């Protein structure tokens, strides 16, 4: 791994971010929350160029946006950057982010499922309605994703759209991110009258957190600037692997939980324990 950083110089990512009981309660009820200044401007200025460099280096798209399918139009997607770069690892494995995840879920410790850069190109398409956890062979409801922009995001791009409270419904549809999922879940949300929220403009270093079952989508990018977002997925320590019931979950088991089998602790070398209450 390259891009070494001085451990002491960036130890601030270990400092705690204080959550109120009201924020924790709100998250547990709604399955999503918006938090200001989770990372400082100085921290973002350090890590954004490193993350961006790896994303552009590993970008697999070889077609213009117009020639891609809906999923391909949505973003450039690169996972497990923390394994490519020691510098990126300091960001992904940061205790500050992990403690927020644990506190919001009300658990004692969390492991990484994986990180994922999601860069939406200028003119990039919308991200269809979906539930993240249809992909994850994890036997728990204690899963959460941090979604952090590395650049300012204007209101017309905004945060994701969240269907608040949908985290309590569990499996609604096994459809992967697609035109189908957008139509099916969109109709479900409208039919149930589930409230939707988009938090609007975000500064670099702000973050949203959402539960694995929370239905969400994202607008397209009508601007001339890349929407650079870094995400980290966490799950409660001691979570076990569930029997994969779809090709998507079988694939995820091989990719993100190598060596783990149904019934075992979900704890491969790719899933380090990043926070535990002392």
């Amino acid at each position: 791994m390259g891009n070494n950083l001085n451990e002491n110089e960036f130890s601030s990512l270990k400092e705690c971010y204080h959550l109120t009981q009201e924020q924790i309660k709100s998250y547990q009820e709604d399955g999503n929350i918006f938090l200001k200044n989770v990372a400082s401007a100085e921290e973002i200025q350090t890590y954004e160029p490193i993350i961006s460099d790896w994303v552009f280096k590993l970008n697999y798209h070889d077609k213009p946006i117009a020639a891609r399918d809906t999923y391909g139009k949505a973003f450039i997607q690169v996972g497990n950057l923390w394994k490519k770069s020691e510098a990126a690892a300091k960001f992904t494995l940061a205790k500050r982010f992990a403690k927020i995840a644990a506190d919001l879920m009300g658990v004692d410790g969390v492991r990484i499922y994986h990180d994922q850069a999601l860069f939406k190109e200028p003119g990039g398409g919308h991200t269809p309605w979906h539930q993240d956890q249809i992909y994850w062979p994890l036997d728990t409801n204690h899963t959460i994703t941090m979604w952090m922009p590395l650049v300012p995001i204007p209101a017309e791009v905004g945060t994701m759209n969240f269907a608040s409270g949908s985290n309590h419904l569990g499996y609604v549809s096994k459809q992967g991110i697609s035109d189908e999922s957008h139509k099916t879940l969109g109709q479900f949300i409208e039919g149930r009258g589930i409230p939707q929220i988009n938090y609007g403009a975000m500064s670099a270093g702000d973050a949203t957190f959402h539960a694995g079952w929370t239905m969400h989508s994202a607008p397209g990018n009508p601007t001339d600037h890349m929407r650079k977002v870094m995400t980290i997925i966490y799950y409660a320590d001691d979570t076990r692997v569930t029997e994969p019931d779809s090709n998507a979950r079988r694939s995820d088991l091989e990719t993100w939980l190598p060596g783990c089998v149904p019934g075992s602790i979900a704890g491969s070398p790719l899933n380090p324990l990043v926070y535990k209450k002392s």
Side-chain angles (χ1 to χ4, degrees):
M1 294 192 292
N3 293 321
N4 291 315
L5 292 176
N6 181 285
E7 178 74 29
N8 294 324
E9 190 175 352
F10 300 103
S11 62
S12 60
L13 280 175
K14 295 180 181 177
E15 294 172 357
C16 292
Y17 182 98
H18 178 68
L19 291 172
T20 67
Q21 286 304 310
E22 289 76 14
Q23 286 173 317
I24 293 170
K25 181 182 178 185
S26 174
Y27 168 80
Q28 292 180 357
E29 289 178 353
D30 296 339
N32 67 90
I33 194 168
F34 171 74
L35 299 175
K36 291 288 294 178
N37 303 317
V38 174
S40 70
E42 292 75 22
E43 288 162 346
I44 293 296
Q45 286 168 9
T46 297
Y47 290 105
E48 182 275 316
I50 295 163
I51 293 169
S52 293
D53 180 59
W54 279 99
V55 170
F56 296 135
K57 192 182 296 184
L58 298 172
N59 177 20
Y60 57 87
H61 285 306
D62 57 3
K63 297 177 182 177
I65 291 174
R68 302 177 204 161
D69 62 12
T70 299
Y71 191 93
K73 290 175 182 175
F75 34 60
I76 300 170
Q77 182 180 31
V78 180
N80 264 0
L81 284 172
W82 74 277
K83 294 298 290 181
K84 310 288 193 300
S85 156
E86 290 178 13
K90 291 184 187 301
F91 185 92
T92 297
L93 306 181
K95 181 179 177 182
R96 181 190 304 160
F97 307 153
K99 185 178 186 301
I100 293 172
D103 289 347
L104 287 173
M105 292 192 291
V107 300
D108 288 340
V110 292
R111 292 181 178 270
I112 295 280
Y113 188 54
H114 61 82
D115 68 21
Q116 195 162 241
L118 299 174
F119 282 27
K120 196 178 287 284
E121 298 154 280
H126 74 287
T127 306
W129 284 107
H130 65 283
Q131 293 177 292
D132 294 335
Q133 201 154 331
I134 65 161
Y135 293 98
W136 306 339
L138 298 171
D139 190 16
T140 182
N141 289 327
H142 290 309
T143 62
I144 192 170
T145 298
M146 182 184 83
W147 192 93
M148 178 181 287
L150 305 176
V151 294
I153 297 182
E156 60 265 38
V157 178
T159 66
M160 289 182 288
N161 303 313
F162 298 105
S164 285
S166 59
N167 52 305
H168 300 295
L169 301 176
Y171 250 134
V172 172
S173 170
K174 293 185 180 181
Q175 293 170 338
I177 304 174
S178 60
D179 293 330
E180 266 304 291
S181 73
H182 195 65
K183 179 181 177 182
T184 301
L185 292 180
Q187 290 175 341
F188 180 88
I189 292 163
E190 293 293 337
R192 288 284 190 100
I194 299 172
Q196 299 176 39
I197 186 167
N198 183 302
Y199 295 100
M202 297 179 73
S203 299
D206 292 346
T208 61
F209 286 77
H210 67 273
W213 289 122
T214 299
M215 296 177 216
H216 58 286
S217 64
N221 181 6
T223 75
D224 296 328
H225 304 286
M226 183 78 76
R227 187 213 72 180
K228 299 181 179 183
V229 166
M230 187 65 171
T231 69
I232 307 170
I233 304 165
Y234 304 90
Y235 59 89
D237 186 28
D238 296 331
T239 292
R240 294 188 178 273
V241 177
T242 190
E243 184 71 47
D245 54 1
S246 66
N247 287 334
R249 284 186 163 183
R250 278 185 281 275
S251 175
D252 259 34
L253 179 57
E254 283 185 27
T255 304
W256 308 117
L257 296 163
C260 296
V261 296
S264 71
I265 293 292
S268 83
L270 293 184
N271 317 112
L273 181 67
V274 283
Y275 171 74
K276 188 81 172 179
K277 275 186 184 174
S278 56

